[in-house]
Amino acid sequence: METSPELLLKDAAFTFQKHGHNLTSAWLYAEVAQDLKIDASVWTGMGAALVRSTDALGQETAYTWSAKSLKRGLEVGAGTPFVSPCRNWLEVINDEMDVSPIEALKDDEIAGLIELMKGEDASVKASLNQLPEDAQVKIIEAMARSKKPRFANVLASALPGGDVVGNGKV
């Protein structure tokens, strides 16, 4: 059975996060959230990546969007193992700012979050370049299989003459 492009992209977002590229991870999780709206792991992963993106987004912005994502994770993840990490991250954020008035992220806010993070080709390429080659290949394959036009520029850098995956030698 073939793995769906969305699940491959979710795995790619986790790979970026595992290697410390949290803003790129959060951006990719947000892209995936457009298709996997009821997957608690997406909202939890995105919330965790955003809370670690204060350098890029500023603390209030990162924490607000993280809280929104984690609260969405609580909603869709009721009865799953993802409730505990969502609550734990919300407690971390709540130590810095009151999260009680913040509502769960709504579907119509996802595009705004993506725009905020921009997922600029240069930053995504830089994050990709810093990963081990096998992880680069896996992420490029996930983006290609998704067929989302948004990934075209990132994928172009992986072609011969680009500067990803063995300096263009795919």
Side-chain angles (χ1 to χ4, degrees), residues 38-41 44 72-87:
I38 60 167
D39 188 329
S41 69
T44 306
R72 178 72 179 260
L74 287 174
E75 286 179 358
V76 301
T80 72
F82 295 100
V83 170
S84 181
C86 285
R87 284 190 180 133

Side-chain angles (χ1 to χ4, degrees), residues 34-102:
Q34 293 178 316
D35 300 313
L36 297 178
K37 293 178 175 68
I38 60 167
D39 188 329
S41 69
V42 170
W43 301 104
T44 306
M46 181 166 44
L50 282 164
V51 81
R52 295 179 181 130
S53 298
T54 56
D55 288 348
L57 299 174
Q59 182 174 329
E60 184 176 355
T61 300
Y63 282 6
T64 299
W65 284 101
S66 177
K68 292 172 87 54
S69 179
L70 294 165
K71 286 186 175 190
R72 178 72 179 260
L74 287 174
E75 286 179 358
V76 301
T80 72
F82 295 100
V83 170
S84 181
C86 285
R87 284 190 180 133
N88 292 342
W89 278 115
L90 284 166
E91 286 177 23
V92 168
I93 297 167
N94 204 51
D95 287 344
E96 299 295 325
M97 65 181 271
D98 180 17
V99 297
S100 60
I102 299 172

Side-chain angles (χ1 to χ4, degrees), residues 110-130:
I110 298 171
L113 176 57
I114 291 170
E115 180 60 29
L116 172 72
M117 294 184 288
K118 292 191 172 62
E120 294 180 16
D121 302 330
S123 65
V124 175
K125 280 175 44 178
S127 292
L128 195 56
N129 278 329
Q130 294 174 31

Side-chain angles (χ1 to χ4, degrees), residues 121 143 146-155:
D121 302 330
M143 288 180 174
S146 78
K147 298 179 182 161
K148 285 190 173 202
R150 171 67 200 95
F151 299 135
N153 290 333
V154 175
L155 292 172

